[in-house]
Amino acid sequence: PAVDNAPAIVVGSGYGGAVAALRLGQAGVRTLMIEMGQLWNTAGSDGKVFCSTAAPDKRSMWFKTRTEAPLASFLWLDVVNKDITPYPGVLDRVHYDNMSVYVGRGVGGGSLVNGGMAVTPLQSYFAEQFPTVDVNAMYGTYYPRARAMLGVNTVDPAWFESTEWYRFTRTSRKAAANAGLRTTFVPNVYDFGYMQQEAAGTATKSALAQEVIYGNNHGKKSLDKTYLAAALGTGNLTLHTLEKVRSISRAADGGWLLGVDRIDATGAVVETKQYRCTYLFLGGGSLGTSELLVRARDTGALPALDPSVGAGWSTNGNTMVGRANHIWDTTGANQATMPVMGIDDWANTANPVFAEIAPLPIGFETWVSLYLAITKNPQRASFTYDAASDGVKLGWTAAQSAVSVAMAKKLFDRINLANATIYRYDLFGSGSKVFADDFCYHPLGGCVLGRATDDWGRVKGYPRLYVTDGSLVPGNIGVNPFVTITALAERTMERVLAEDM
Ligand code: FDA
């Protein structure tokens, strides 16, 4: 008889995967976690695990010959990006036809590279997006559980008002207030006590040393320090890195079979493996999980997967934009990389936007106010199988991005009008592009809760197959998504452990 490598396998080590691994481990279930990225715990020759945005090297990006930073240019000059050696670095930019998606690669997934903003959406908007989920249980139990485990904390308001490191945020707040707009503090998983020590010169700088999208060497409670550390602590979790799951199929006895490529630091496949398990949890993120399931359905490996697998995808309405402040409204040479405030105009039903006030930490005065806007863009797209590449295509169009841009523009036109300021035209490449309409940070959907799965993430048509990641969220959640992804995974794991295992 066939023998499982472990009773449970978890694919991917981001938020969804990490919650699954911890709760399985605590329940005494031996679990194997398979992650295509590296375990980021070993310092390079410079004594650091991660490189900074100011001096990117091969550790920055996932198999690229040149970095692909979100801000492509400054004063239209190609000064931001650097040539690098292809390597399994920590940040990937995945290119589809009309949209590029940033994702983290490594043990901890997106938590290694993100801005740490830990935002709980409005209860009413959550209910709108998840009509079949009990909001009282979410807001009473699963969100608080997720926030506690993730180490969510808030900046000390008095320090915020006085520190040079958040001058950029105060300047953007003033501009928003001049337009009658509300700003709100947002929590984060970066340890603000540590940040204050950085500012005081008593701790090694990380958020105050231009570290963020290529990883933080200190201060940030990424998943490897929280959920995954606890999961390993149960003694039931085994972690395999630099292994990419390529295929999922079902054995005659109902067990799960995974085809896996193990790669080396050059990206070469050095071994092709097969794993077997009884319970399979997919936490590859919106891109990873959608690709695995669309491929499995459309190659005939799992033909009973729901037609909605691959659908319901969007960018969370993301678009980035910069404004030029007046010469007297400085944003500061010193900027913390962790955002702590957003412009909250979500209640404006004619044009709902939540815009995080983002840093531009390049070490000199720029007078730029930068924002990552989350808009209530209703457009959705689907992943489809592409036999030629054995991969997926994403049906997102430029016209769909234009919807996000138009919504963000309404808000920032108001701010510019009230302040007599203009946009920056030099940040997103040579075409004088004002709004970044070709990349996003918040891929959501592709295996939407209650459509491709039941209301708890059990994949329709296949018992003992579960999705726990951002592919469950139907394209938009109105705020930065990882707290919601974590809370939904907590909800799924409680149910699955009680009823299925
Ligand atoms: P996630 O992407 O975290 O993890 C998936 C993991 O699975 C990855 O490690 C991947 O390598 C692995 N994987 C995928 N396919 C695989 C396969 N076939 N085999 C093996 N492994 C596989 N959100 C927020 O709430 N606040 C914020 O401030 C920010 N800021 C931000 C900045 C930047 C630069 C980015 C890129 C993203 C953010 N985000 C964010 C978004 C947030 O990071 C994102 O929503 C979550 O990481 C998604 O969590 P998941 O568990 O869905 O997947």
Side-chain angles (χ1 to χ4, degrees):
V3 178
D4 285 348
N5 294 82
I9 289 182
V10 176
V11 179
S13 61
Y15 294 91
V19 173
L22 172 60
R23 300 309 175 197
L24 287 164
Q26 287 177 329
V29 181
R30 273 192 310 112
T31 301
L32 171 62
M33 176 175 262
I34 303 174
E35 166 59 50
M36 65 195 273
Q38 307 194 52
L39 177 61
W40 291 94
N41 66 351
T42 309
S45 53
D46 60 354
K48 291 177 182 173
V49 174
F50 297 109
C51 61
S52 81
T53 55
D57 58 34
K58 68 177 184 181
R59 293 170 290 188
S60 62
M61 294 205 74
W62 181 254
F63 297 111
K64 306 274 184 197
T65 54
R66 190 166 172 78
T67 59
E68 298 179 15
L71 258 66
S73 54
F74 189 76
L75 298 173
W76 293 280
L77 297 173
D78 183 13
V79 290
V80 178
N81 286 310
K82 302 274 183 320
D83 288 339
I84 51 171
T85 310
Y87 182 76
V90 72
L91 180 68
D92 199 358
R93 178 167 167 148
V94 181
H95 298 282
Y96 298 103
D97 282 346
N98 297 295
M99 181 49 63
S100 297
V101 184
Y102 284 100
V103 289
R105 299 274 179 233
V107 176
S111 77
L112 298 169
V113 299
N114 66 30
M117 294 176 82
V119 196
T120 304
L122 274 178
Q123 189 165 324
S124 56
Y125 190 54
F126 180 90
E128 192 178 317
Q129 292 298 73
F130 292 100
T132 60
V133 174
D134 175 359
V135 286
N136 294 324
M138 278 303 289
Y139 284 76
T141 302
Y142 304 114
Y143 272 116
R145 186 177 294 171
R147 285 193 297 260
M149 272 304 298
L150 291 167
V152 176
N153 71 149
T154 49
V155 69
D156 171 18
W159 184 70
F160 167 83
E161 296 299 344
S162 61
T163 180
E164 60 178 325
W165 297 96
Y166 281 110
R167 175 184 296 278
F168 74 97
T169 306
R170 298 194 300 269
T171 297
S172 293
R173 176 181 63 183
K174 184 174 101 179
N178 287 342
L181 288 158
R182 198 174 84 91
T183 49
T184 173
F185 278 111
V186 292
N188 202 292
V189 296
Y190 197 89
D191 179 344
F192 286 108
Y194 187 85
M195 191 188 285
Q196 286 192 232
Q197 291 175 35
E198 292 177 55
T202 56
T204 308
K205 285 190 173 64
S206 179
L208 305 191
Q210 304 174 343
E211 291 180 358
V212 57
I213 59 171
Y214 303 140
N216 280 93
N217 286 300
H218 307 279
K220 195 206 246 179
K221 290 181 188 158
S222 47
L223 290 167
D224 50 324
K225 315 251 178 354
T226 59
Y227 273 99
L228 291 167
L232 286 165
T234 67
N236 288 317
L237 179 65
T238 307
L239 190 57
H240 286 193
T241 57
L242 293 173
E243 294 193 1
K244 180 171 185 177
V245 178
R246 299 259 342 145
S247 66
I248 304 171
S249 59
R250 214 160 57 144
D253 63 359
W256 294 106
L257 301 174
L258 302 184
V260 173
D261 288 343
R262 187 164 68 81
I263 62 166
D264 67 12
T266 71
V269 177
V270 290
E271 189 182 357
T272 301
K273 299 173 145 183
Q274 193 177 66
Y275 291 113
R276 220 197 107 97
C277 63
T278 301
Y279 300 92
L280 179 56
F281 294 84
L282 300 182
S286 170
L287 306 187
T289 293
S290 299
E291 175 168 324
L292 283 171
L293 289 178
V294 167
R295 185 191 288 123
R297 183 189 58 202
D298 294 354
T299 57
L302 300 179
L305 286 172
D306 195 78
S308 74
V309 164
W313 189 88
S314 187
T315 62
N316 207 21
N318 278 186
T319 181
M320 205 175 239
V321 62
R323 286 179 45 257
N325 289 292
H326 295 293
I327 200 94
W328 55 87
D329 279 328
T330 54
T331 50
N334 286 332
Q335 303 194 7
T337 58
M338 297 295 143
V340 292
M341 191 167 273
I343 301 168
D344 186 358
D345 201 30
W346 201 258
N348 174 4
T349 49
N351 195 62
V353 180
F354 177 83
E356 102 187 20
I357 297 171
L360 183 48
I362 51 181
F364 51 87
E365 177 60 49
T366 65
W367 290 276
V368 174
S369 280
L370 190 69
Y371 308 87
L372 178 70
I374 295 167
T375 63
K376 194 176 173 183
N377 182 339
Q379 299 287 321
R380 299 291 180 267
S382 294
F383 292 99
T384 49
Y385 181 61
D386 177 50
S389 63
D390 190 31
V392 290
K393 293 205 170 226
L394 178 62
W396 186 263
T397 65
Q400 293 181 301
S401 289
V403 176
S404 303
V405 168
M407 296 184 77
K409 187 170 183 304
K410 274 190 195 158
L411 179 85
F412 290 104
D413 281 354
R414 272 173 74 188
I415 296 179
N416 277 335
L417 186 68
N419 291 277
T421 52
I422 59 167
Y423 291 108
R424 288 286 294 229
Y425 296 87
D426 58 324
L427 304 175
F428 301 112
S430 55
S432 295
K433 195 191 271 279
V434 170
F435 290 88
D437 56 358
D438 55 349
F439 69 80
C440 76
Y441 286 168
H442 299 164
L444 294 172
C447 189
V448 171
L449 191 84
R451 295 183 217 158
T453 72
D454 78 352
D455 284 337
W456 280 272
R458 299 174 174 111
V459 176
K460 284 183 183 168
Y462 291 97
R464 300 181 301 282
L465 176 61
Y466 310 92
V467 171
T468 61
D469 58 30
S471 58
L472 296 170
V473 181
N476 197 297
I477 194 62
V479 293
N480 316 62
F482 75 61
V483 180
T484 297
I485 294 167
T486 306
L488 284 171
E490 289 284 15
R491 176 176 172 276
T492 287
M493 292 314 297
E494 189 178 272
R495 171 69 59 133
V496 166
L497 284 164
E499 290 187 350
D500 297 15
M501 303 191 73

